[in-house]
Amino acid sequence: MREKWRTWAVGALSFFAAVAAPGGEKDPRARLLEVLDQRREAFAQVAREIWGFAEVGYQEEKSSALLQSQLKAAGFDVRSGVAGIPTAFVASWGEGRPVVALLAEFDALPGLSQAAVPERKPVVEGAPGHGCGHHLLGTASVAAAIAVKEWLAGPGTLRVLGTPAEEGGAGKVYMLREGVFDGVDAALAWHPADHNGANNGTTLANISAKFRFHGVAAHAAAAPDQGRSALDGVEAMDVMVNMMREHVPESARIHYVITAGGKAPNVVPDFAEVYYVARHADMTILDGIWDRIVSAARGAALGTGTTVDHEVVSAVYNMLPNEHLAALEQKNLEQAGGVVYSPEEQAFAERLRASLADTSAPLGSQEKVRPLEAAAGKASTDLGDVSWRVPTAELSAATWVPGTPAHSWQAVACGGTGIGTKGMMVAARALASSAADLFSDPSLVAAARAEFEARRGSHPYASRLAGRKPPLDYRKD
Ligand SMILES: [Zn+2]
């Protein structure tokens, strides 16, 4: 298999000979891979452009428009601005069941601007950068969809869902609420990483909110008895929550920052704000922890003579695994192979690794595919909500030099090079083949659905953001 991959990496022609059907006819599936191979430079260019746009959540106008234009040019029917979100879109092709969705993200992260070089070098100091590789994420899904469309002859509907603001904006949660995922039989997702492998594990559900305390301003020396400090409210809440840490499940995570604490020490602050995030791998356990955090806020207000209100800013579910879909993605990822660096990319990788804290994953490991794993992820994603409504799986492809953490300048740097786009094309091949398998074999779709029903059990999905509008300005200062 390794040899077959190398053959493909060197030249497409010999690879397609290798997948020819026994009778000498080319396997129709080869058409998928042919489209991807013929257009790999064009797709790499799309990814590089979005990398350069580096637009943050809900402001991805150019990135979203570029992906939509690729899909329109390929013949997809594209609806933009869905779910009241200007940069969200749905592209469709075909009719009937099954309905297979490929998910495309494209938002960047604030402050991570970085040139495509192996040393820290911002392009524009303080500007955003693609530290989570979402320029590759969106482009690979679009590329895979264009390839599948060329191949798809029978019944079935292919959709690309353009999902903005994954980084804290929970775009998918609002799209789910507005019915954008209705009728989807399976959702195939992927994420940039420093390795290749499908994951059948979980992520952490999270809830975040801003707690705003209101007090009474007064001269801190002349009339302190007239004042009630809003900052006291924040500090009292934080003390209580910090004590609470001992009495919640060990796997819970609670973090906060004080976002307003008064302006001058000689004025009793009449306003203070603390921004909390709590996480756990089980939403129902997290609900219980969250109720206690809210109680701590109320208790703090009572004890300090202040008042408090809070606004839930974001909330996403943990991932509901789907082993059938994960195993399908794994199989196709193993066929797609890994990422082999050119001599220049190898030199880039060696220099970049000098800046990494953890290099336990050896250089060269990006050429391999890890076995399917059920890792308990420590991050949170709005893909979790999707997985409670639609059977969903996610694979990782090595777009970053081994050892590169997400949300780092090193990830931005890799994403702007051939290292990033090679990993992107591995993902595109695995996604396209997985979608083709689902269209070819209805029993795969049925098995994924049955597993989904069994795992979900009697827990209904109910977003913790009900009634909230998409926070379209959450990245605006
Ligand atoms: Zn990400």
Side-chain angles (χ1 to χ4, degrees):
M1 191 49 68
R2 179 73 20 221
E3 279 316 301
K4 189 192 265 187
W5 152 252
R6 284 182 187 282
T7 308
W8 172 78
V10 173
L13 284 176
S14 49
F15 177 78
F16 293 121
V19 296
E25 289 284 301
K26 198 198 273 180
D27 179 348
R29 200 64 80 75
R31 179 76 191 126
L32 280 181
L33 306 177
E34 204 172 53
V35 172
L36 289 175
D37 203 64
Q38 283 165 351
R39 299 186 56 175
R40 60 185 291 128
E41 188 40 48
F43 290 132
Q45 181 57 31
V46 168
R48 277 194 296 269
E49 278 189 55
I50 298 175
W51 183 85
F53 297 152
E55 295 169 300
V56 294
Y58 293 127
Q59 298 173 47
E60 316 98 328
E61 287 91 358
K62 287 185 276 187
S63 309
S64 176
L66 180 56
L67 293 178
Q68 290 180 49
S69 72
Q70 297 291 311
L71 290 158
K72 271 186 204 149
F76 280 79
D77 175 46
V78 181
R79 277 192 300 136
S80 62
V82 297
I85 301 171
T87 52
F89 68 85
V90 179
S92 299
W93 169 260
E95 301 184 302
R97 304 282 293 274
V99 179
V100 176
L102 296 169
L103 305 190
E105 299 171 7
F106 33 73
D107 58 322
L109 284 157
L112 277 178
S113 173
Q114 165 68 31
V117 296
E119 296 84 30
R120 179 70 174 121
K121 185 173 179 250
V123 179
V124 180
E125 193 75 53
H130 270 290
C132 211
H134 294 181
H135 63 301
L136 303 167
L137 201 168
T139 307
S141 296
V142 166
I146 289 172
V148 174
K149 177 198 164 272
E150 294 291 305
W151 163 88
L152 183 61
T157 306
L158 178 62
R159 283 191 198 150
V160 179
L161 303 180
T163 60
E166 188 278 334
E167 299 287 358
K172 296 182 195 71
V173 177
Y174 300 101
M175 293 175 74
L176 276 162
R177 190 174 70 192
E178 300 307 316
V180 175
F181 287 79
D182 289 1
V184 175
D185 291 302
L188 298 175
W190 81 284
H191 202 284
D194 72 338
H195 64 277
N196 305 292
N199 189 358
N200 188 39
T202 57
T203 56
L204 299 180
N206 83 19
I207 303 177
S208 64
K210 291 180 175 173
F211 292 83
R212 299 183 178 115
F213 286 80
H214 305 272
V216 179
H219 193 294
D225 54 309
Q226 304 294 311
R228 296 292 180 270
S229 169
L231 181 60
D232 286 356
V234 164
E235 290 190 280
M237 174 183 177
D238 294 347
V239 167
M240 278 190 268
V241 174
N242 286 332
M243 287 174 164
M244 209 180 96
R245 291 178 195 278
E246 194 180 3
H247 311 290
V248 295
E250 265 185 78
S251 51
R253 294 281 182 277
I254 305 172
H255 6 277
Y256 64 83
V257 287
I258 297 175
T259 40
K263 301 279 190 216
N266 61 348
V267 179
V268 174
D270 64 354
F271 178 73
E273 181 184 80
V274 58
Y275 189 175
Y276 267 85
V277 184
R279 310 183 200 236
H280 191 272
D282 182 327
M283 186 55 115
T284 51
I285 292 173
L286 179 59
D287 280 338
I289 294 169
W290 188 254
D291 284 348
R292 291 165 66 194
I293 290 173
V294 173
S295 295
R298 292 205 185 103
L302 191 64
T304 56
T306 58
T307 60
V308 66
D309 50 67
H310 74 279
E311 177 190 1
V312 173
V313 174
S314 186
V316 298
Y317 265 66
N318 51 296
M319 260 320 262
L320 188 67
N322 193 290
E323 196 168 354
H324 284 88
L325 290 182
L328 179 68
E329 287 194 337
Q330 177 73 18
K331 180 201 80 169
N332 286 305
L333 189 55
E334 285 170 9
Q335 283 175 11
V339 176
V340 180
Y341 295 158
S342 67
E344 299 77 47
E345 288 160 356
Q346 181 74 17
F348 178 101
E350 283 167 11
R351 281 174 60 189
L352 187 97
R353 275 167 69 89
S355 69
L356 298 177
D358 178 3
T359 50
S360 52
L363 203 49
S365 58
Q366 81 284 350
E367 296 184 13
K368 302 184 178 68
V369 178
R370 287 187 191 170
L372 180 62
E373 58 178 350
K378 295 282 183 255
S380 305
T381 170
D382 58 4
L383 189 62
D385 288 62
V386 175
S387 73
W388 283 80
R389 287 284 295 275
V390 174
T392 302
E394 184 180 44
L395 65 84
S396 297
T399 58
W400 303 328
V401 168
T404 303
H407 296 201
S408 63
W409 67 259
Q410 291 93 339
V412 185
C414 294
T417 70
I419 289 174
T421 50
K422 278 184 178 172
M424 172 182 91
M425 293 313 290
V426 165
R429 291 162 61 81
L431 289 176
S433 303
S434 300
D437 282 339
L438 291 169
F439 285 119
S440 305
D441 184 354
S443 74
L444 288 174
V445 178
R449 164 63 56 176
E451 181 186 346
F452 167 79
E453 302 286 356
R455 282 186 189 266
R456 190 177 58 165
S458 58
H459 296 289
Y461 165 76
S463 167
R464 281 14 177 208
L465 296 174
R468 189 175 163 80
K469 286 189 181 152
L472 299 179
D473 59 355
Y474 85 115
R475 288 287 195 217
K476 291 198 171 131
D477 307 314

